[in-house]
């Protein structure tokens, strides 16, 4: 009984923390129709501002909370004014991707200022426990509950009884009508971002105090938990966000009690997928129709793509193959080999997102499936890499399409959330399936690349192998895009309703797109596994998915050559200039923001 009470208290406390995040996300979605992926970065920023205030200024807790509240509110205003307001009137994918770029920038700035090392957040609360039955409640539990309840009450009063609150509700209900009635929607947006960011920053501070631990990498998981709570309660619904957060906190706490801490996040994402499939509008979202905009398809910017003549493309390929003959510099060849591996991933995503119009934020999961499939075939069955790598590509193609298939009926932000959750689920299954994957310890001693029984250790040979696969995949994909299959995928991207009316089976073609794309991603992950000789659940993290999307946008959505150019530019160039290596993620974020703002069609144009 004592354990039950303690787990319940813990679940409610964690749920209150999630609620501060989810309420902010709900406010932003209601007013701006946007899932703010930078919200977790504000949460991290608040945690570190609070740590700095306590450590260097020795502020008491109320003053620390006030400093965090004001600082994060100001950051929210800057995010809305500088990063998102210039994108008003553009397709919904543009500000969504901008928030991803902002999260890259903010996370890297926090890391550069405070260092990557985790920090302990001291607390001046008394160290006592209040007995409740056979369990107990501490001072920190009461503080978090009080902050959650007070925030909910103040937010209710603000939305119901203030003039600005009326404007927020009017803008959320119908932005254009509110604007016609004289509501300053820009001021409303700024106010909402300020409130949401202030609550997110407080959440970060409270988490740091509760667990006595903060680090720069905590932002992404925080965003995901807020999104999960939102979907459970109903996207954009503030009361639903609170209820969804409490349910999520309790589910995680009871799940830990049953199966252990490693299953904590798995419960959250399985719950998310269940709601997306069977109750996508959440507990309080009513029966509103899921938005029908395909999101990525509508982001294809009108442009005249740059088409190089075949002889020029052939000359570039020959020059790339001849490079190792001109130089044997190991660092240069290794860097470009990494770029070719990234190009395989980018080719995979540009087919799915650019040509088929199906956004995928979980592509790192496909890399992981391919890497583990090839490693297990080699370790357990003794398969040579020449067989295990293509077999891993086929396994990834099948599993990738199968995992995403239930999400094909979703649209808009929901498909993005679903693919992100699927990628996380793959990583968590790898972590917990110890009998197959080795769990957190991973797989070691993966055989190196070999051909006809001869191990391949030469940098030149590995370079040529990866480049040959990239060229083969690019040629095959270009062939697909110029066929009936490619034209059908573009029809699905442009207008699903019209495509369906012409007899196109949408699920079949979306599944084929994910299968073909999954093959390329699986091959890339498999080669990486043999090069690294070690894999664990963190080898291919979610940041790789966002990096792949940046490559695709940089080169041009749906552009085969553009995907390769984007991969070389984003992976190769920062490595070649070692002075910028520390700022790599910052560079990715800035590049993504500049592209969305000034060159949405990419360097070579969309196709």
């Amino acid at each position: 009984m004592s354990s039950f009470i303690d787990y319940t208290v813990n679940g409610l406390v964690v749920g209150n923390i999630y609620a501060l995040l989810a309420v902010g996300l709900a406010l932003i979605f209601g007013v701006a129709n946007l899932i703010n992926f930078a919200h977790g970065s504000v949460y991290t920023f608040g945690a570190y501002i609070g740590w700095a205030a306590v450590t260097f200024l020795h502020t008491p807790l109320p003053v620390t909370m006030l400093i965090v509240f004001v600082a994060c509110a100001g950051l929210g205003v800057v995010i809305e004014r500088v990063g998102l307001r210039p994108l008003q009137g553009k397709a919904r994918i543009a500000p969504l991707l901008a928030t991803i770029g902002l999260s890259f920038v903010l996370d890297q700035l926090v890391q550069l200022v405070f260092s990557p090392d985790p920090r302990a957040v001291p607390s001046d609360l008394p160290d006592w426990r209040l007995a409740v039955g056979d369990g107990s409640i501490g001072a920190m539990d009461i503080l978090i509950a009080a902050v959650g309840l007070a925030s909910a009450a103040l937010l209710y009063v603000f939305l119901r009884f203030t003039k600005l609150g009326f404007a927020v509700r009017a803008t959320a209900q119908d932005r254009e009508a509110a604007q016609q009635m004289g509501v300053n929607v820009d001021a409303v947006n700024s106010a909402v971002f300020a409130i949401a960011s202030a609550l997110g920053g407080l959440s970060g501070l409270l988490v740091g105090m509760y667990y006595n631990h903060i680090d720069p990498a905590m932002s992404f998981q925080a965003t995901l938990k807020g999104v999960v709570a939102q979907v459970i309660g109903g996207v954009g619904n503030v009361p639903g966000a609170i209820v969804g957060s409490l349910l999520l906190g309790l589910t995680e706490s009871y799940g830990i009690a049953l199966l252990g801490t490693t299953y904590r996040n798995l419960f959250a994402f399985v719950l998310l997928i269940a709601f997306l499939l069977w109750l996508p509008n959440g507990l309080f979202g009513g029966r509103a129709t899921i938005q029908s905009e395909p999101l990525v398809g509508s982001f294809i910017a009108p442009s005249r793509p740059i088409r190089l003549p075949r002889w020029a493309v052939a000359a570039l390929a020959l020059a790339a193959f001849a490079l190792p003959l001109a130089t044997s510099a190991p660092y240069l060849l290794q860097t470009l080999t990494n770029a070719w591996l990234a190009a395989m991933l980018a080719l995979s995503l540009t087919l799915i997102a650019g040509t088929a119009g199906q956004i995928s934020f979980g592509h790192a999961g496909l890399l992981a499936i391919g890497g583990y499939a090839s490693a297990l075939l080699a370790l357990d069955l003794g398969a040579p890499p020449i067989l295990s790598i293509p077999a891993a590509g086929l396994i990834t193609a099948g599993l990738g399409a199968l995992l995403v298939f239930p999400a094909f009926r979703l649209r808009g932000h929901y498909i993005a959330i679903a693919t992100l959750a699927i990628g996380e689920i793959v990583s968590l299954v790898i972590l917990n399936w110890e009998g197959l994957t080795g769990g957190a310890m991973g797989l070691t001693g993966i055989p190196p690349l070999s051909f006809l029984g001869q191990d391949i250790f030469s940098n030149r040979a590995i370079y040529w192998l990866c480049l040959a696969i990239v060229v083969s995949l690019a040629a095959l994909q270009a062939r697909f895009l110029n066929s009936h299959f490619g034209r059908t995928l573009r029809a699905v991207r442009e207008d699903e309703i019209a495509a369906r009316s012409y007899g196109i089976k949408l699920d079949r073609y979306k599944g084929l797109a994910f299968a073909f794309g999954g093959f390329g991603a699986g091959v890339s992950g498999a080669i990486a596994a043999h090069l690294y000789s070690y894999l664990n659940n963190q080898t291919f993290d979610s940041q790789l998915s966002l990096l792949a999307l940046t490559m695709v946008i940089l080169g041009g959505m749906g552009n085969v050559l553009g995907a390769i150019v984007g991969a070389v530019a984003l992976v190769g160039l920062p490595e070649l200039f070692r002075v910028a290596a520390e700022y790599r993620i910052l560079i990715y974020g800035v590049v993504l923001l500049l592209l969305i703002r000034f060159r949405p069609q990419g360097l070579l144009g969309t196709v």
Side-chain angles (χ1 to χ4, degrees):
M1 185 63 181
S2 172
S3 297
F4 173 78
I5 292 176
D6 287 338
Y7 280 117
T8 301
V9 169
N10 178 262
L12 292 173
V13 168
V14 173
N16 268 282
I17 294 172
Y18 290 161
L20 293 176
L21 279 168
V23 164
L25 287 169
L27 284 171
I28 292 172
F29 188 90
V31 169
N33 197 22
L34 169 70
I35 292 179
N36 179 18
F37 279 96
H39 203 59
S41 301
V42 178
Y43 158 96
T44 304
F45 177 79
Y48 274 89
I49 290 295
W51 171 84
V54 172
T55 304
F56 299 113
L57 302 179
H58 306 290
T59 54
L61 182 57
V63 176
T64 303
M65 294 176 67
L66 180 62
I67 291 173
V68 170
F69 190 92
V70 173
C72 291
L75 178 59
V77 172
V78 172
I79 288 173
E80 190 278 331
R81 182 66 185 85
V82 177
L84 300 176
R85 190 176 298 181
L87 301 176
Q88 284 184 9
K90 297 186 181 294
R92 284 198 289 270
I93 186 63
L96 179 69
L97 294 174
T99 63
I100 293 174
L102 287 166
S103 72
F104 280 0
V105 171
L106 292 174
D107 288 347
Q108 186 72 1
L109 288 176
V110 168
Q111 183 167 312
L112 290 173
V113 172
F114 295 101
S115 85
D117 299 328
R119 307 282 182 176
V121 182
S123 170
D124 55 6
L125 291 175
D127 187 17
W128 51 258
R129 307 289 299 181
L130 177 65
V132 177
D134 293 328
S136 63
I137 299 176
M140 180 59 67
D141 301 329
I142 295 175
L143 172 66
I144 291 174
V147 171
L149 291 173
S151 299
L154 291 174
L155 190 60
Y156 175 81
V157 171
F158 167 73
L159 292 174
R160 290 287 178 180
F161 302 108
T162 67
K163 184 176 180 180
L164 182 56
F166 292 151
V168 170
R169 290 163 56 199
T171 305
Q173 186 172 3
D174 192 323
R175 182 184 183 88
E176 293 182 358
Q179 195 167 17
Q180 291 172 0
M181 294 301 293
V183 174
N184 186 342
V185 295
D186 288 337
V188 168
N189 278 346
S190 292
V192 165
F193 269 85
I195 295 170
S197 299
L199 293 175
L202 277 180
S203 177
L205 172 63
L206 294 174
V207 163
M209 294 172 61
Y210 188 72
Y211 292 108
N212 197 30
H213 174 94
I214 58 174
D215 67 82
M218 61 194 240
S219 65
F220 188 71
Q221 287 296 325
T223 301
L224 293 183
K225 294 302 177 64
V227 170
V228 173
Q230 246 208 117
V231 171
I232 293 172
V235 175
N237 188 293
V238 173
I242 296 173
V243 174
S245 299
L246 295 175
L247 288 176
L248 177 60
L250 290 171
T251 300
E252 289 187 354
S253 186
Y254 294 147
I256 291 172
L258 291 173
L259 297 175
T261 56
T262 58
Y263 286 85
R264 176 177 189 160
N265 291 331
L266 185 59
F267 280 106
F269 294 116
V270 169
L271 192 62
L272 171 63
I273 294 296
F275 267 86
L276 285 174
L277 293 179
W278 291 294
L279 197 61
N281 294 302
L283 297 174
F284 294 85
R287 298 185 178 181
T289 303
I290 299 175
Q291 56 180 301
S292 59
E293 185 180 347
L295 211 63
V296 169
S298 62
F299 182 63
I300 297 295
S303 68
R304 179 174 294 176
I306 299 174
R307 299 186 184 277
L308 297 181
R310 290 186 178 181
W311 64 265
V313 175
L316 288 173
L318 287 175
F321 276 108
L323 179 64
L325 300 177
T327 177
S328 60
Y331 181 70
L332 174 63
L333 296 181
Q334 289 172 8
T335 297
L336 288 176
T337 297
N338 290 335
W340 303 141
L341 291 174
M344 298 177 205
L345 178 64
L347 284 169
S348 164
L349 187 57
T350 202
L351 176 68
I352 293 169
T355 304
Q358 304 301 305
I359 194 166
S360 174
F361 284 165
H363 241 54
L366 299 180
L367 284 174
I369 292 173
Y372 271 88
S374 186
L376 290 170
L377 288 172
L379 290 171
D380 295 346
L381 301 181
I386 195 174
L387 295 178
S388 68
I389 290 174
L394 293 173
I395 291 170
T396 308
L399 281 179
L402 184 64
L403 288 171
V404 180
F405 187 83
F408 286 161
R409 70 184 186 88
L410 301 173
R411 306 284 179 84
H413 295 97
Y414 292 90
I415 185 71
I417 295 171
T419 55
L420 184 60
I422 290 169
E424 289 296 305
I425 288 173
V426 169
S427 176
L428 292 168
V429 168
I430 289 172
L431 172 63
N432 289 287
W433 198 348
E434 296 183 1
L436 180 67
T437 65
M441 300 300 294
L443 299 177
T444 59
I446 301 172
L449 293 172
S450 62
F451 183 72
L452 298 179
Q454 298 296 317
D455 291 341
I456 302 175
F457 293 111
S458 163
N459 289 324
R460 285 177 173 172
I462 295 172
Y463 172 96
W464 277 322
L465 173 65
C466 293
L467 178 57
I469 293 174
V470 168
V471 171
S472 300
L473 290 174
L476 181 62
Q477 193 158 314
R479 177 69 176 173
F480 281 153
L481 297 184
N482 291 323
S483 67
H484 172 74
F485 175 68
R487 291 190 292 273
T488 304
L489 290 182
R490 286 191 288 272
V492 172
R493 177 191 74 192
E494 297 299 333
D495 193 327
E496 289 192 3
I497 296 175
R500 188 187 297 113
S501 70
Y502 275 91
I504 295 174
K505 296 185 181 301
L506 301 181
D507 288 355
R508 175 186 298 175
Y509 281 94
K510 290 177 184 178
L512 287 172
F514 271 94
F516 284 120
F519 179 82
V523 168
S524 176
I527 295 174
H530 290 281
L531 290 178
Y532 300 157
S533 76
Y534 171 76
L535 284 180
N536 70 2
N537 65 298
Q538 296 179 333
T539 303
F540 305 110
D541 59 17
S542 298
Q543 201 170 66
L544 276 175
S545 301
L546 305 181
L547 173 59
L549 191 60
T550 307
M551 295 175 196
V552 169
I553 297 172
L554 176 59
M557 284 280 197
N559 194 311
V560 174
L561 183 59
I564 300 174
V565 170
V568 172
L570 282 185
V571 175
L573 293 183
E575 286 288 347
L576 295 179
F577 299 99
R578 292 298 295 170
V579 68
E582 186 180 1
Y583 305 95
R584 185 185 295 111
I585 302 301
L586 183 63
I587 292 170
Y588 294 157
V590 171
V591 167
L592 182 56
L593 288 171
L594 292 176
L595 281 171
I596 294 166
R597 179 69 178 89
F598 299 107
R599 183 73 181 176
Q601 66 268 39
L603 296 176
L604 300 187
T606 55
V607 178

